[in-house]
Amino acid sequence: MTDDLGGNTLTVHRAGISAVQDLGRFGHSRYGLPVNGALDQHSARVANVLAGNDEGAPLIEITALDFSATPRTDVLIAVTGAPADVTVGGAPRPQWEPIPVRAGETIGISRIRSGIRVYLAVLGSVEAPSLLGSCAPDTILGFGRSLRDGDDLVVRTRCPPVDHPVFRIPLFRMGAPVPRFGESWTVDVTDGPDLGEFGDSADRLFRSEFTVSPRSNHIGLRMTGDVPRRVARGEVLSRGVPVGAVEVPAGDELLVLHRGRGVTAGYPVLAVVTATGLSALGQVRPGQTVRFRRRTVDDAVAAHRSQRHAVHALRTRVRAVFDALRIPTP
């Protein structure tokens, strides 16, 4: 640590698989750059809102393994995403609520279960390098802040101690919109541009259960099961594909493109995962099962609007409480 950090740092003791993330790098697909960003966008947005930040502020994405860190100044945090054991100074703390942390208290996140990703936001967010307006890691460009044991993250905002005036325990019950987590998942999709090329076998996508392969990553999820078969002849030309495209390459697996996907591909696209479905897919662990549910575009838009409305309402409640307690916000 150096003096120019001013003591506003978060020291990582156990990094596991973690990185500084935000919501992604938008508007650059025309140049061949994937959007990237947090795979569970809903959990990342809610973590930042609970911590008093803008939804797209940098935060820490923790994947599968345990994580711990200690701030050198008083901070306010929020932990969302998959169920996990969260402790501050060894004492259990809740997820999906703001949590005050005193300087020197260690934040621990362990036993991530049901899902695979946890999001840790800090009031004021943390410093991170930026590329085209985003700190989202890009494995193709070799850009991003993956964390290692011993790393120091600069915290942008100090938080005065938050204490309940009677019980001496801070109490926050914000009613955050918590999604469902489990061992099996139902993911909404809309019809893809090549649905007609699969004939009657297209219905297998909605009748069958698919198992996520260990070879899945942020670029795409590979799934095995009763895969639909393309009946049309002729090649599929390489073209632009959206995040969430459900592709059917030759073989016995589906490929569902996620936020790190390349912007073009040449496989037939049977369906496209909805915006709310993509956050769910960002939590699916290898070995878990997925069922796809067919939705119209209107249904998908309505579900996305409902989820965004819930986050906006949460922001209003958080700001009211923070103002009442004189907690500074960026």
Side-chain angles (χ1 to χ4, degrees):
M1 300 179 192
T2 59
D3 292 339
D4 62 319
L5 298 180
N8 286 20
T9 58
L10 184 74
T11 300
V12 177
H13 306 302
R14 190 170 186 178
I17 303 173
S18 59
V20 180
Q21 272 283 16
D22 60 19
L23 296 181
R25 192 169 289 106
F26 296 93
H28 302 289
S29 291
R30 72 185 71 178
Y31 307 117
L33 290 177
V35 63
N36 286 304
L39 289 192
D40 181 352
Q41 295 267 295
H42 176 70
S43 293
R45 289 179 189 274
V46 173
N48 266 324
V49 168
L50 288 170
N53 300 330
D54 290 337
E55 294 180 21
L59 77 172
I60 301 172
E61 182 180 67
I62 301 158
T63 303
L65 302 181
D66 294 354
F67 176 91
S68 65
T70 302
R72 290 184 62 189
T73 186
D74 294 338
V75 297
L76 188 77
I77 67 170
V79 181
T80 64
D85 292 347
V86 179
T87 59
V88 172
R93 290 291 184 266
Q95 290 179 262
W96 301 88
E97 293 179 13
I99 305 171
V101 180
R102 295 294 184 94
E105 291 185 321
T106 296
I107 304 160
I109 297 170
S110 60
R111 291 188 64 237
I112 298 173
R113 51 197 180 272
S114 297
I116 195 170
R117 291 180 174 87
V118 165
Y119 293 88
L120 169 61
V122 182
L123 172 64
S125 75
V126 295
E127 296 286 353
S130 179
L131 173 67
L132 296 174
S134 171
C135 71
D138 188 307
T139 55
I140 302 301
L141 297 178
F143 173 82
R145 180 81 189 269
S146 294
L147 299 178
R148 298 175 296 179
D149 296 357
D151 277 358
D152 283 325
L153 285 171
V154 177
V155 178
R156 293 175 175 170
T157 303
R158 292 177 183 269
C159 180
V162 181
D163 221 3
H164 191 278
V166 177
F167 301 106
R168 318 314 308 167
I169 299 173
L171 300 176
F172 296 98
R173 295 293 185 269
M174 298 295 186
V178 182
R180 174 192 171 276
F181 292 88
E183 296 304 314
S184 62
W185 300 79
T186 299
V187 173
D188 288 347
V189 298
T190 57
D191 291 347
D194 304 317
L195 177 68
E197 297 187 6
F198 290 84
D200 294 339
S201 79
D203 284 342
R204 296 180 189 175
L205 185 67
F206 310 109
R207 296 196 312 259
S208 306
E209 194 173 67
F210 296 89
T211 302
V212 178
S213 164
R215 295 191 296 145
S216 301
N217 56 25
H218 68 291
I219 296 173
L221 285 79
R222 297 181 181 272
M223 302 184 187
T224 58
D226 189 11
V227 178
R229 300 295 177 185
R230 183 171 180 254
V231 296
R233 296 185 178 276
E235 292 192 29
V236 178
L237 297 178
S238 183
R239 60 201 166 158
V241 291
V243 175
V246 180
E247 295 187 325
V248 187
D252 296 319
E253 64 180 8
L254 293 176
L255 179 59
V256 185
L257 302 184
H258 219 300
R259 301 187 64 80
R261 63 84 173 92
V263 298
T264 61
Y267 295 129
V269 178
L270 177 60
V272 179
V273 178
T274 66
T276 53
L278 277 169
S279 286
L281 276 183
Q283 290 290 355
V284 179
R285 302 177 72 99
Q288 290 186 325
T289 57
V290 172
R291 284 189 175 274
F292 293 100
R293 181 169 56 188
R294 196 174 193 174
R295 287 288 184 259
T296 66
V297 172
D298 286 346
D299 291 336
V301 170
H304 180 61
R305 285 177 175 168
S306 176
Q307 189 177 78
R308 298 293 292 117
H309 176 75
V311 175
H312 285 307
L314 175 66
R315 182 193 295 116
T316 300
R317 296 193 296 273
V318 169
R319 289 300 169 96
V321 170
F322 280 27
D323 287 346
L325 295 176
R326 299 181 180 179
I327 299 173
T329 54

